Amino acid sequence: MKELRAQGGLRLASLVLALASLLLLGWAAWQLGRAAYIGATWSWHTGIVDAVDPEGPAAGHLQPGDRIRTIDELPVWAARQAILKQAGESLKFVVDGAGLSHSAAVRLAGQPPGVLLRTIEPLLIALAFWVLSVVVLVFAPPGTQKWPAWLFGQAMSATLAAGAMSWQGPWWTTRLFGVLLWWFGPVAILFHLHFPAHASRRPVRRIVLGLIGVALLGSLPEIVGDPVALRLQAPALFTARLLWLAGCLLGVVLVLVQTYRHTPSPATRRRVGLVVIGGAGAFLPFLTLSLLPDALLGRPLLPYAASFLFLLLLPLSYGYAIFRYHLMPVDRYISRAAAGMLVIASLGGGYLAAYAVSLRVLPAPIRQHPIMILLFALLIGMTAGAAHRRLQIVVNRLLYGGWHDYHSAVQYLSQTLEPETDDLEFGQNLCEGVQAAMELTWACLLLADEAGTLHRAGLVGEVNPQYRGVPVRLGAESPIAGYFRHEQRPIDGAVLRERLDDAALSPPERYLLECEHGRLWMPLSAGEGLLGLLILGPKCGSDRLDPTDRDILQVVARQASIALQNIQMSAELRQRAADSVRLHRQLLRVREAERARVARELHDEVIQELVRLKHQLEEVRTSADGDEDDRPAQLEDRVQQIVSDVRQLCSDLRPPTLDTLGLVGAVRSHLRMVKQTAAFQVRLVVEGDEAQALPGDVALCLFRVVQEALHNIQKHAAAGRVEVRLGLEPQEVRLMVADDGRGFEVPRRLQRLLDHQHFGLAGLHERLESVHGTLAITSEPGEGTRVQAWVPLVPPIEASHAKEGRHGDSTITG
């Protein structure tokens, strides 16, 4: 409570001082605006005339180079009050010129517009600084930048106003100007040590103490003695004052340059660069062209009226940086004030309109009745809340491009949390949705993998480009992950840094924890497990998230946790399905390898033994000495039949012609065998290069398609004609087996073939999938059947482009 009272008292005192500064500006503008025009300038120290306006009142009376002895019988240095006469009055000069002394009476005139503008130019610049400092004081939240900014703006405003009046106003304006010149430099350095970025505390404390000490010593003569007499009697003190101010302004430029150089973030450096350019562009011309020449040479190279124009860069560039880059978050408060003023104006206008209508419609007794006045008041009260909300939305959309409340933000974010198949896509969508809905400057998401390691899955907003390229990975045993594993509540970044200050942090953890954008850390949890961390930056135009914002974010965090769990379960199911497919394909390859092994063993052992047995039976039959026993011959025929059957079995297991003759030769050989027993005619059509080499698994797969298709035709189709068409191209192989048989009703999906007892066709589908091929079956009862297969000879990604628009998957057409 005491702290709040102290802050309220400090703000009240600051507003009183700001009002006094504004009164000084207004009084100076009034005095300078009514001052008369002489048309000549001279040195108040030497009395030498610097310039004479050929069209001014002093033309013909004074010449450049003349030395003024007295003005209205007063010494030059004491005649400042005399020139405050009004237009139409006269000034009497005693002048030494061309070796002669003469008197001249100059009749004063009103100031021409151009002269008046040059006269009040410092006051206009002072007003810009005053407005900027008051806006910061009223709207900026508490912070170390607020009070130095206000003090700097007020000091600049008072210094310019006092300086404009120091040679033409009362004595106290000269005294005030001298004191402010000693104190303005330290105030400017103090402000720029905190703006646009903070310097380390220890050097700042030493610098501030040293500057205050010098300013105190230098301003004592200005307070105690006569400032005008001091300039005449001790000109070195006046020169020291100008050199001190010049040194301080040069120090401001150096502080700005050092701030820019030591800013670690390029994004922040861009924001600081605008302030550096504005400060250097304002102070350097004023310093090098006016202040230093005046201190060292006795006269400025560029008139102060011209160099003052460069000082306008300060309020313009600083104000733009504060509002554009949120260096001091004041625009949120300004938006609320603007909405409030719009509500007052709208309701006031509506009330006046209603009252004007009532003047014409209602008689005076009814219009002025207390009940009618109460009805008007109730109407205004009922519409004030809705009007304020509507206008606040309009203002925020104009300033930030958006607006949110509890309901709209939760609804918008719920739509962004649609189930995704990839956690990285989900993370980026979540960050973009939270930033847009909550009007944040920055958002980052860390997700945990199976081992519990947190890695960055989303990043959006204004941030260091180098930070975007740094892979952030926090181990499962890291202090940050361990903290949120036990504490599953949101926490401010500053509080988290204090709690983990003594922890042994790795460089990535330290860099992430000290990131200036991380204002709120929100864990995404499931039970006792940590799914991820959502790190959020400040809101646009504000430094903090209010309770409503935190409620919204907690709801979003719960929804995001559920969505993450769904994504992980979906990914696990997909992985299991992929493992099943991979194991099935491996099983097919192992089965084919085993069939090839069995075929080799049958051919190399069983068939050879049967052949030897047949030869032995022939020897027995020939050595029977004419015995008519026919059993050896029967055994020999039986052995020959077994040999033929085993050879056919070997061919079915692994056709030997496939390895020796290739796919086309093996198909031809198989068709010749089929013709010997089949009741239909078979025709083979080959398109392309018959000698084209094919991968072994592709050739075997296509051969099995031909084998299975002809087997089904023999068994079920009752066909009269069959055509086998084989197309060989560099990118793919096409195969078609068509018959004119009875056909059949095919299921809508290939996976349903097993339900219809088509085990062979289902096996073909699986075989083609193992080589990234495609199977299509077209059939109608009584219309025959067509079996088509496509197998790519290039990688699947490239083959997909070749097959695009034709078949996206295995299909069946009935």
Side-chain angles (χ1 to χ4, degrees), residues 59 86 117 140 150 172 197 303 412 479 524 538 553 560 646 693 800:
Q86 302 299 312
L117 182 61
W150 173 83
W172 63 267
Y412 173 79
L524 306 181
L553 290 172
V646 173
S800 64

Side-chain angles (χ1 to χ4, degrees), residues 195-516:
F195 180 85
H198 297 285
S200 57
R201 294 182 178 179
R202 185 172 300 175
V204 167
R205 187 179 298 113
R206 294 178 179 176
I207 292 173
V208 170
L209 291 176
L211 293 174
I212 291 175
V214 175
L216 184 61
L217 292 175
S219 60
L220 281 177
E222 304 284 352
I223 298 173
V224 176
D226 185 347
V228 178
L230 282 175
R231 181 172 182 182
L232 296 175
Q233 299 171 5
L237 182 62
F238 178 78
T239 303
R241 183 174 66 181
L242 294 181
L243 291 176
W244 165 251
L245 179 61
C248 289
L249 295 183
L250 182 60
V252 169
V253 175
L254 294 178
V255 168
L256 288 173
V257 173
Q258 287 296 108
T259 302
Y260 180 80
R261 290 181 56 191
H262 291 87
T263 301
S265 168
T268 306
R269 189 177 295 119
R270 287 193 298 270
R271 300 194 292 268
V272 172
L274 179 61
V275 177
V276 174
I277 293 174
F283 287 130
L284 285 178
F286 175 75
L287 179 66
T288 58
L289 299 178
S290 297
L291 193 59
L292 282 176
D294 189 16
L296 301 176
L297 303 178
R299 58 180 300 172
L301 298 179
L302 184 68
Y304 282 104
S307 61
F308 281 158
L309 293 175
F310 291 98
L311 295 180
L312 276 175
L313 289 174
L314 279 178
L316 294 177
S317 59
Y318 287 17
Y320 179 80
I322 289 173
F323 284 91
R324 173 62 178 85
Y325 295 115
H326 312 295
L327 298 181
M328 291 184 187
V330 299
D331 48 353
R332 174 68 64 180
Y333 301 91
I334 293 177
S335 72
R336 294 175 182 174
M341 289 187 291
L342 287 176
V343 168
I344 294 173
S346 301
L347 294 180
Y351 180 81
L352 291 177
Y355 185 76
V357 172
S358 67
L359 289 176
R360 296 180 175 273
V361 176
L362 300 176
I366 297 178
R367 186 175 65 250
Q368 298 175 0
H369 197 277
I371 295 179
M372 184 59 64
I373 297 175
L374 179 61
L375 289 176
F376 273 113
L378 289 176
L379 180 62
I380 293 176
M382 293 172 59
T383 57
H388 183 271
R389 173 179 171 77
R390 299 279 183 182
L391 291 174
Q392 185 70 70
I393 293 175
V394 173
V395 171
N396 277 43
R397 283 177 177 169
L398 292 175
L399 290 177
Y400 316 120
W403 164 255
H404 79 273
D405 56 13
Y406 188 92
H407 181 267
S408 61
V410 171
Q411 184 178 11
Y412 173 79
L413 289 170
S414 299
Q415 295 174 355
T416 63
L417 296 178
E418 294 294 333
E420 302 286 352
T421 58
D422 182 50
D423 56 351
L424 294 178
E425 183 178 359
F426 170 82
Q428 189 65 23
N429 289 342
L430 177 61
C431 290
E432 292 176 357
V434 169
Q435 187 207 26
M438 306 301 297
E439 301 171 16
L440 303 178
T441 60
W442 183 80
C444 176
L445 179 66
L446 305 179
L447 291 181
D449 56 16
E450 297 179 355
T453 301
L454 293 168
H455 60 90
R456 188 171 62 208
L459 179 64
V460 64
E462 299 179 0
V463 71
N464 186 346
Q466 295 179 354
Y467 181 72
R468 292 183 178 274
V470 175
V472 179
R473 297 182 64 85
L474 305 182
E477 303 302 324
S478 67
I480 294 178
Y483 175 85
F484 284 104
R485 195 174 292 111
H486 298 90
E487 184 63 46
Q488 298 182 352
R489 291 182 298 179
I491 184 173
D492 291 334
V495 178
L496 181 62
R497 284 191 289 271
E498 292 179 0
R499 295 185 179 180
L500 299 180
D501 187 44
D502 298 331
L505 300 174
S506 63
E509 290 177 293
R510 179 68 63 181
Y511 185 71
L512 183 64
L513 193 62
E514 294 180 353
C515 178
E516 61 180 0

Side-chain angles (χ1 to χ4, degrees), residues 577-591:
D579 292 342
S580 300
V581 172
R582 186 172 64 255
L583 290 174
H584 182 71
R585 292 176 179 175
Q586 181 66 21
L587 180 62
L588 287 176
R589 288 193 291 269
V590 171
R591 186 174 67 182

Side-chain angles (χ1 to χ4, degrees), residues 66-262:
D66 291 348
R67 181 185 295 274
I68 302 174
R69 288 180 173 272
T70 62
I71 302 176
D72 281 353
E73 299 180 354
L74 295 174
V76 174
W77 61 270
R80 292 181 307 133
Q81 297 290 338
I83 65 171
L84 290 179
K85 292 183 177 182
Q86 302 299 312
E89 297 179 310
S90 298
L91 282 178
K92 184 178 180 181
F93 291 85
V94 176
V95 183
D96 291 339
L100 299 175
S101 179
H102 66 278
S103 298
V106 179
R107 187 177 181 83
L108 303 180
Q111 297 186 74
V115 175
L116 179 61
L117 182 61
R118 289 197 303 270
T119 303
I120 65 172
E121 174 191 321
L123 303 182
L124 296 177
I125 300 174
L127 181 62
F129 279 98
W130 186 90
V131 171
L132 182 61
S133 65
V134 170
V135 168
V136 171
L137 174 67
V138 174
F139 296 108
T144 55
Q145 289 179 318
K146 176 176 181 176
W147 297 109
W150 173 83
L151 186 60
F152 171 72
Q154 292 298 312
M156 176 65 85
S157 175
T159 302
L160 290 174
M165 292 296 299
S166 62
W167 293 110
Q168 303 182 36
W171 293 106
W172 63 267
T173 58
T174 305
R175 191 185 304 276
L176 177 62
F177 180 58
V179 173
L180 289 175
L181 283 182
W182 282 102
W183 284 95
F184 174 74
V187 170
I189 292 179
L190 175 64
F191 167 60
H192 289 91
L193 285 172
H194 293 281
F195 180 85
H198 297 285
S200 57
R201 294 182 178 179
R202 185 172 300 175
V204 167
R205 187 179 298 113
R206 294 178 179 176
I207 292 173
V208 170
L209 291 176
L211 293 174
I212 291 175
V214 175
L216 184 61
L217 292 175
S219 60
L220 281 177
E222 304 284 352
I223 298 173
V224 176
D226 185 347
V228 178
L230 282 175
R231 181 172 182 182
L232 296 175
Q233 299 171 5
L237 182 62
F238 178 78
T239 303
R241 183 174 66 181
L242 294 181
L243 291 176
W244 165 251
L245 179 61
C248 289
L249 295 183
L250 182 60
V252 169
V253 175
L254 294 178
V255 168
L256 288 173
V257 173
Q258 287 296 108
T259 302
Y260 180 80
R261 290 181 56 191
H262 291 87

